[in-house]
Amino acid sequence: HRVSGAMPGFHPEWTGLDLRDQEKPVLDQNGTYSTHLFARKATEIIAQHDKNKPMFLYLPFQAVHAPLEAPQEYIAKYRHIKDTSRRVYSAMTTVMDEAVGNVTNALKQYGLWDNTVLVFSTDNGGQILYGGNNWPLRGWKGSLWEGGVRGVGFVNSPLIKAKGRTSDALIHISDWFPTLVGLAGGSTNGTKPLDGHDVWAAISEGKPSPRKEILHNIDPLYPTPMIHPHPWGNETFNTSMHAAVRSGDWKLLTGYPGNGSWIPPPSSDRPCEESDDPPGKHLWLFNIRDDPEERTDLSEKYPQVVQELLEKLAAYDKTAVPPFYPPPDPRADPALHGDVWSPWE
């Protein structure tokens, strides 16, 4: 898997191989579809594992993600889909679905399933430029709209007490660590203060989530177009800054959250819905439970809620470490490390 260095701190012209088995570079799998490769490796780990010992297996597939690529036999299954990106995206999803099934079957085959918790989760909303879609939510990957920050997923386990439910509990990625540590019988006592909560009771029993708040982002480097005036000014928090916070059912966005259109699937006859927000608008308040599509800005109706959430953003911002992008280090060039991306210090 060859990747270029188009990341902060690297020269764009640098390229190198970027696949390892533990610390050992893998150089003999060129042309192997990574979803198949990762699933086979996971199955191998499961087969060799002592079932009397605990196991944590993190399996981050590259699917589904750009670049859109899939074996031709899977793409052929979706020849009826006219949109090319959507067709390949569907094929990639099918390969991933098959891989998850194979890993699940291995857990059952080797006697681990009855004491396993399987978590399947995305990390962000779909990227509409590469086959993804978030309809009817607003926006897409990279934005602070629900189409960018709301993830889908499921948890499957014989250990779940209240099965067959759809949960709307508020859960953040940082909650997985204390949740899984607790499930394994461990403790986070004595660790650094954690942002995460143990949300197993919310998942397993349907109890209220202990999480009441999510800081989606505060990014001082994100560009903001011209500013449309609003009554709150910048005394509490710089509202030209790209930021969003969720507290209970309320969500406040400031700055430029990203494209705020509603994009229907390519197969739909619906037109794309553009936002009618005035140019330079940079503050919105939504009740996400009542309005998950973020269509009705309530900032003027509930100014006190706006003020409270601006104060929360200001409190978070005071704890932030300034962003730092170091200049490129010529010692990082993969050409100096056997054509492989490697640590250089």
Side-chain angles (χ1 to χ4, degrees):
H1 182 66
R2 179 172 293 278
V3 294
S4 66
M7 293 289 286
F10 297 105
H11 286 291
E13 64 271 19
W14 291 351
T15 66
L17 297 171
D18 189 27
L19 181 63
R20 292 175 180 267
D21 186 346
Q22 301 299 328
E23 297 183 359
K24 182 181 178 182
V26 176
L27 307 176
D28 61 352
Q29 293 297 321
N30 190 37
T32 303
Y33 195 61
S34 68
T35 306
H36 289 150
L37 178 64
F38 293 172
R40 286 199 297 269
K41 184 63 178 180
T43 300
E44 176 186 309
I45 291 171
I46 292 167
Q48 296 174 354
H49 184 73
D50 181 352
K51 64 181 181 180
N52 295 312
K53 296 181 179 180
M55 177 182 68
F56 173 73
L57 178 62
Y58 174 54
L59 180 52
F61 291 113
Q62 291 177 306
V64 290
H65 198 282
L68 298 182
E69 299 172 341
Q72 189 57 44
E73 62 266 30
Y74 291 89
I75 298 175
K77 295 179 180 181
Y78 296 99
R79 58 174 64 92
H80 61 283
I81 298 179
K82 295 180 180 179
D83 184 86
T84 302
S85 293
R86 197 71 171 158
R87 186 188 315 137
V88 180
Y89 188 97
S90 300
M92 295 175 74
T93 304
T94 297
V95 184
M96 179 185 63
D97 180 69
E98 182 182 278
V100 173
N102 290 339
V103 171
T104 303
N105 289 336
L107 289 166
K108 294 177 179 178
Q109 178 183 349
Y110 295 103
L112 302 177
W113 177 252
D114 289 344
N115 197 33
T116 287
V117 174
L118 174 67
V119 177
F120 179 94
S121 179
T122 185
D123 55 351
N124 45 248
Q127 173 52 271
I128 65 160
L129 303 177
Y130 297 100
N133 193 264
N134 308 295
W135 178 263
L137 299 179
R138 186 176 185 178
W140 55 85
K141 176 182 177 178
S143 79
L144 294 177
W145 305 109
E146 288 297 284
V149 301
R150 182 179 291 222
V152 296
F154 65 81
V155 179
N156 191 0
S157 173
L159 304 179
I160 292 177
K161 294 180 180 179
K163 296 178 171 60
R165 293 179 299 105
T166 299
S167 173
D168 64 355
L170 195 60
I171 296 175
H172 184 259
I173 189 171
S174 62
D175 297 329
W176 288 125
F177 174 63
T179 300
L180 296 176
V181 168
L183 273 168
S187 171
T188 58
N189 292 336
T191 67
K192 293 181 178 180
L194 298 178
D195 293 322
H197 299 269
D198 185 338
V199 294
W200 180 244
I203 293 172
S204 175
E205 304 172 45
K207 292 183 177 180
S209 172
R211 173 171 291 283
K212 307 302 179 188
E213 193 167 293
I214 292 177
L215 174 65
H216 289 303
N217 202 358
I218 298 176
D219 188 349
L221 302 184
Y222 199 97
T224 298
M226 76 173 189
I227 302 303
H228 184 269
H230 59 65
W232 291 276
N234 293 321
E235 290 79 12
T236 303
F237 179 77
N238 179 2
T239 57
S240 70
M241 195 145 49
H242 176 83
V245 63
R246 169 81 181 267
S247 183
D249 294 336
W250 294 108
K251 178 181 176 184
L252 182 77
L253 302 95
T254 66
Y256 177 60
N259 190 297
S261 302
W262 294 267
I263 308 295
S267 58
S268 171
D269 294 329
R270 290 175 174 266
C272 170
E273 296 183 49
E274 301 290 344
S275 168
D276 59 2
D277 290 331
K281 179 176 170 63
H282 60 291
L283 189 144
W284 298 259
L285 176 71
F286 299 102
N287 185 307
I288 294 299
R289 182 172 294 278
D290 295 341
D291 180 24
E293 297 176 21
E294 297 171 298
R295 292 181 178 271
T296 305
D297 176 16
L298 300 173
S299 59
E300 294 185 5
K301 187 175 181 180
Y302 296 99
Q304 185 55 42
V305 176
V306 172
Q307 182 61 33
E308 291 172 2
L309 296 185
L310 287 174
E311 291 173 2
K312 288 181 181 292
L313 283 174
Y316 280 119
D317 194 35
K318 287 181 179 178
T319 69
V321 176
F324 173 61
Y325 287 115
D329 188 333
R331 297 175 298 168
D333 188 347
L336 304 176
H337 307 282
D339 199 33
V340 178
W341 286 102
S342 303
W344 68 94
E345 284 190 335

